[in-house]
Amino acid sequence: MRRSVPLALTAAIFALSGTMISPAQAAAGPCRPGQGADLRGKDFTRGASLPADLRCADLTKAKLKGVELVQKDLTGAILRGADLRQANLTQAVLKYADLRGANLREADLGQMHADHADARGANLIDAEAGQAQFPHADLTGATLTRAELTQVNFTNAKLIDADLNESTPGQIKARKADFTRAKLREAKMSQANLRNATFKDADLSEAELTQAELDGAVFTGALVEEASFVQADDADLTGAKGTPKGLSLPATDLLFPDGVLTPEKETDRLAEPAGTGGAPSVGLLMVVVSAVGLAVTVVAWGISAQRRSRRNSRFALMRRGAEEDITRLGEEIDQLDYEFQVSGHGDITGDQDWRHAIDAYEAAKNALSLARREEELQFVAGAVQDGRNALGRLRVRSR
């Protein structure tokens, strides 16, 4: 499932930087053993400062609870068994990082980049990971209970035996992701891209998959009891167990039930030898063929209109959600301004993060006013997340 940068290209990049690596090392990621700082078991919760360069650093079992790691470059870092509870990893880069067994409970992982990361058995319970990037990552056996996973990228990721019960992976990108035996009970996956994903033997009881893209998704052995598939296009639950909600029958079953003349049946009738008993007249046959052709045209138009209606409904729903996000960001800005005035911290209007939050709020409103398609609403979500990240940094500094 995991993919890596082509070996020749990776080796060439390191050769240009003056560091030669073998093809085997290139396949394992950007770091060599011992290349980064040795910070194993270090405690950074009592004021100890982190090195400026954390690429390829060995932070095995390091204590980083509540530590600010905003926008830090931890590419290839080893964080096996590290304590990262409540740590702020907003926009941090952890590509190819080793997070096996790491504790990221209640950590802020918003817009974090963890491409190709190894997070097997990691604890992400109650983590805030909106817009985080996990393409090609391995989260086998990871615990993501109640995690906020809105717009997370799980493309080609492994989530085998992962626990996502009660999580909110709304609008995620999980094309070709492997959710085999994953626990997804009550998971909120509305409007998710789950094309060609695998849900073999997964528990999807009461999960929300409204308007999800499920073309090519496999549900063999999956438990879908009370799961919602309202307007979930191309859902094929062959081999699944339980009774889902909102799943429509295929269009062919609805439009041409037994006993109703179809083009195929009419062709069979035309092929009957002339002069047989009870054979219809040519005129009658022409009328029937014309009627069938008209019916097929009307049905095709109806299906097209229905799809347009679904797209419009989906866009309207997403737009309302984006508008609510902008409103909440404005309320957070006003609340923080009030808190600063009451606490006597002084004027914050000149603070860089404060201005960043205001600019992000205005950018989100402008993007919403210009949005006409679903994909254009991503600019709104990105601006809102930028604003919240800026407010988060400001709050941390004011403590």
Side-chain angles (χ1 to χ4, degrees), residues 197 199 213-220 222 224 229 232-240 247-248 250:
F199 292 93
E213 298 178 50
L214 296 167
D215 186 22
V218 178
F219 290 90
T220 305
V224 295
F229 288 85
D233 296 336
D234 303 312
D236 182 358
L237 300 184
T238 302
L247 189 65
S248 300

Side-chain angles (χ1 to χ4, degrees), residues 155-324:
T155 301
N156 269 305
K158 287 184 180 179
L159 292 112
I160 301 170
D161 294 312
D163 187 345
L164 293 96
N165 283 338
E166 302 178 53
S167 61
T168 53
Q171 300 178 28
I172 64 170
K173 296 178 181 178
R175 188 171 59 87
K176 296 184 179 180
D178 192 348
F179 292 94
T180 297
R181 296 186 303 276
K183 300 178 182 66
L184 291 151
R185 188 179 184 88
E186 298 183 32
K188 310 300 182 185
M189 292 187 285
S190 297
Q191 301 173 349
N193 183 347
L194 301 166
R195 293 177 180 271
N196 298 304
T198 300
F199 292 93
K200 291 181 179 179
D201 300 316
D203 183 358
L204 289 151
S205 304
E206 301 180 63
E208 180 66 53
L209 291 112
T210 299
Q211 298 179 340
E213 298 178 50
L214 296 167
D215 186 22
V218 178
F219 290 90
T220 305
L223 180 60
V224 295
E225 184 67 29
E226 292 296 309
S228 176
F229 288 85
V230 176
Q231 296 184 1
D233 296 336
D234 303 312
D236 182 358
L237 300 184
T238 302
K241 298 177 292 185
T243 306
K245 298 187 298 184
L247 189 65
S248 300
L249 291 173
T252 53
D253 294 336
L254 294 173
L255 297 173
F256 300 116
D258 291 340
V260 176
L261 187 65
T262 67
E264 291 78 8
K265 291 181 181 179
E266 180 57 25
T267 301
D268 294 340
R269 289 197 182 185
L270 289 173
E272 291 180 3
T276 56
S281 66
V282 174
L284 178 59
L285 289 175
M286 294 300 295
V287 170
V288 173
V289 171
S290 298
V292 170
L294 177 62
V296 171
T297 301
V298 171
V299 167
W301 178 88
I303 293 174
S304 178
Q306 187 180 40
R307 287 176 177 172
R308 286 196 300 271
S309 177
R310 287 183 180 180
R311 284 197 298 268
N312 292 338
S313 298
R314 187 162 57 230
F315 176 76
L317 179 64
M318 293 176 65
R319 194 182 190 284
R320 282 197 299 272
E323 190 172 5
E324 292 173 0

